[in-house]
Amino acid sequence: MSKRIGVIGGGQLARMMIVPAIHLGLELKVLAEAEGSPATVAATMVGDYNQLDVVREFAKTVDVITFDHEHVPLSVLRTLEQEGISVQPPSAALAFAQNKLHMRQRLTELGLPMPAWAEIKTAEQLERFIAENGGVAILKTPIGGYDGKGVRVVRTSADAAEWLSAEGLAKVGGSLLAEEKVDFVRELAQLSARTPSGEFKAWPLVQTVQQDGVCAEVLAPAPGASEEILARTAEIARGVAEGLGVTGVLAVEMFEARDGRLIINELAMRPHNSGHFSIEGSVTSQFEQHLRAVSDLPLGSTASRAAHAVMINLLGVDDENDFVRNYAKAMKDQPEAKLHVYGKSARKGRKMGHVTVVHEDSSQALAVARAAAEILRHGN
Ligand code: ADP
């Protein structure tokens, strides 16, 4: 069993692992990218995770390496693994979270539900894909995208001329990913966890509401999802986790298409924004589960503690509001709301914190969470 867990990345996800690590008696260390990062209290090293020497130095102080983000170069992780260090999830799994094209290829081989997709190297290939898919496609850079950056709706190859240039292609590994533009009624996320020994557990499916490419609200469980859909999405997550050898928490982002298909969009191999509700909403939070999983300890129950949970992200409104200045009023007016602030300096659009409300009544949960978020954003 691993007692000392090293998290690469000092963001809010590492920050939220700190409390469960304390409760479980695990030692948590963080390799942060900068002083004053959200996980400062646990940061034992500050350094560049792209540098093998830095990561190796950090790895010497822990029993297992895990992550707050997916950007550590695979070459660095493979070297650590060759040197006998436990990396969870392993580099062989993370490779599929770092490259959307490889993810589509492998999940297609595994028979998991994908949109129509193609690898694109030339304008002609893109024109053909657009023509075969109703005159429109979603074009993605396979590497380096997040929060909607690196995703574009295209109706002609001219819409992506600079991506298709030799220089543009070189930046993203030589090819682009084209996907059918899924006509979806909503976006869903299936959170799960798997241990190196193979134990697997899933939380109930959630609905994510995106605004401008960023997650704004999460409704847990996904409203109106039938037992059959809940069972199907949990099996999809199991297929991904076992098929790719993922350990720790896995989030599978999905579309519910108008024609009833459930289609995998993206994967995250770490605690995920769609799972923050689980801190108050579940017997075991995604942060505790991640620590258990990467330590190869038995997983905790993923049962819900209330009928409904609503999570609302606190996205930066300007360069002033750190979401602390209004929180006494939010606490006073909405005592059922649980406030989480990440300790970041204010910046418009930045994920600054979140609010969760659990309740037996779904509309009450949503109303309280929205009222609290509104006070935190605007003071009333
Ligand atoms: P990122 O990695 O930047 O989060 P995603 O692949 O999740 O990018 O895409 C961002 C958003 O773009 C999705 O949340 C969804 O709204 C939209 N999108 C992505 N792929 C498709 C698709 N194939 N069909 C329709 N919409 C899509």
Side-chain angles (χ1 to χ4, degrees), residues 13 67-70 249-251 268-273 286 290:
L13 302 177
F67 309 93
D68 150 291
H69 60 70
E70 284 133 350
V249 167
L250 165 71
M269 298 181 191
R270 50 169 168 75
H272 187 250
N273 203 163
Q286 63 165 347
H290 189 71

Side-chain angles (χ1 to χ4, degrees), residues 10-33:
Q12 63 265 20
L13 302 177
R15 179 183 175 97
M16 290 186 267
M17 291 179 207
I18 298 170
V19 171
I22 291 170
H23 289 171
L24 292 174
L26 297 166
E27 205 179 310
L28 192 80
K29 295 174 187 255
V30 172
L31 170 59
E33 37 282 291

Side-chain angles (χ1 to χ4, degrees), residues 32 42 108 206 297 319:
T108 301
V206 302
L297 288 164
D319 295 344

Side-chain angles (χ1 to χ4, degrees), residues 97 100 103-104 115-116 137-141 144-153 177-184 187 208 210-215 253-255 263-267 272:
K100 291 179 183 177
M103 178 268 285
R104 288 275 179 247
I138 302 281
L139 193 64
K140 300 185 177 182
T141 57
Y146 64 94
D147 286 348
K149 297 172 186 68
V151 175
R152 201 177 273 188
V153 182
L177 168 64
E179 296 176 359
E180 97 181 72
K181 184 170 186 294
V182 177
D183 180 16
F184 60 81
E187 296 189 58
T208 62
Q210 315 279 327
Q211 270 164 19
D212 304 322
V214 180
C215 174
E253 294 182 36
M254 289 182 228
F255 299 125
I263 297 170
I264 298 176
N265 177 29
E266 273 225 276
L267 308 179
H272 187 250

Side-chain angles (χ1 to χ4, degrees), residues 13-295:
L13 302 177
R15 179 183 175 97
M16 290 186 267
M17 291 179 207
I18 298 170
V19 171
I22 291 170
H23 289 171
L24 292 174
L26 297 166
E27 205 179 310
L28 192 80
K29 295 174 187 255
V30 172
L31 170 59
E33 37 282 291
E35 300 285 354
S37 64
T40 293
V41 250
T44 43
M45 237 179 104
V46 173
D48 181 2
Y49 57 76
N50 293 294
Q51 309 281 327
L52 174 61
D53 291 351
V54 171
V55 180
R56 188 191 265 138
E57 196 56 33
F58 177 66
K60 279 187 195 146
T61 68
V62 297
D63 301 308
V64 58
I65 288 284
T66 190
F67 309 93
D68 150 291
H69 60 70
E70 284 133 350
H71 310 309
V72 184
L74 293 177
S75 57
V76 168
L77 299 176
R78 287 191 192 116
T79 306
L80 296 187
E81 286 168 341
Q82 279 155 13
E83 292 171 359
I85 291 159
S86 171
V87 176
Q88 307 295 341
S91 63
L94 268 175
F96 298 105
Q98 290 191 358
N99 188 312
K100 291 179 183 177
L101 199 50
H102 294 168
M103 178 268 285
R104 288 275 179 247
Q105 281 158 343
R106 185 72 189 115
L107 296 188
T108 301
E109 284 166 17
L110 290 167
L112 290 159
M114 296 284 108
W117 66 273
E119 181 174 6
I120 302 292
K121 289 176 188 283
T122 65
E124 294 69 46
Q125 289 173 339
L126 181 57
E127 291 294 351
R128 200 175 325 130
F129 186 86
I130 292 171
E132 285 167 4
N133 284 277
V136 60
I138 302 281
L139 193 64
K140 300 185 177 182
T141 57
I143 54 178
Y146 64 94
D147 286 348
K149 297 172 186 68
V151 175
R152 201 177 273 188
V153 182
V154 292
R155 293 192 161 74
T156 145
S157 60
D159 293 341
E162 81 284 13
W163 282 8
L164 285 161
S165 69
E167 202 189 337
L169 286 172
K171 266 192 235 161
V172 295
S175 38
L176 296 164
L177 168 64
E179 296 176 359
E180 97 181 72
K181 184 170 186 294
V182 177
D183 180 16
F184 60 81
V185 286
R186 58 177 174 170
E187 296 189 58
L188 303 166
Q190 176 63 63
L191 198 72
S192 65
R194 183 171 169 273
T195 66
S197 303
E199 188 185 1
F200 173 87
K201 278 204 168 117
W203 282 265
L205 180 72
V206 302
Q207 179 177 346
T208 62
V209 182
Q210 315 279 327
Q211 270 164 19
D212 304 322
V214 180
C215 174
E217 293 181 352
V218 171
L219 312 176
S226 63
E227 286 299 322
E228 190 214 326
I229 286 186
L230 295 178
R232 188 138 44 102
T233 56
E235 275 318 296
I236 289 172
R238 184 195 289 274
V240 173
E242 292 179 353
L244 304 185
V246 183
T247 54
V249 167
L250 165 71
V252 182
E253 294 182 36
M254 289 182 228
F255 299 125
E256 184 175 332
R258 202 171 301 278
D259 59 15
R261 284 179 300 161
L262 291 166
I263 297 170
I264 298 176
N265 177 29
E266 273 225 276
L267 308 179
M269 298 181 191
R270 50 169 168 75
H272 187 250
N273 203 163
S274 64
H276 293 351
F277 79 90
S278 62
I279 296 175
E280 292 87 6
S282 308
V283 172
T284 309
S285 79
Q286 63 165 347
F287 300 100
E288 174 177 343
Q289 199 79 305
H290 189 71
L291 297 174
R292 289 180 181 229
V294 301
S295 308

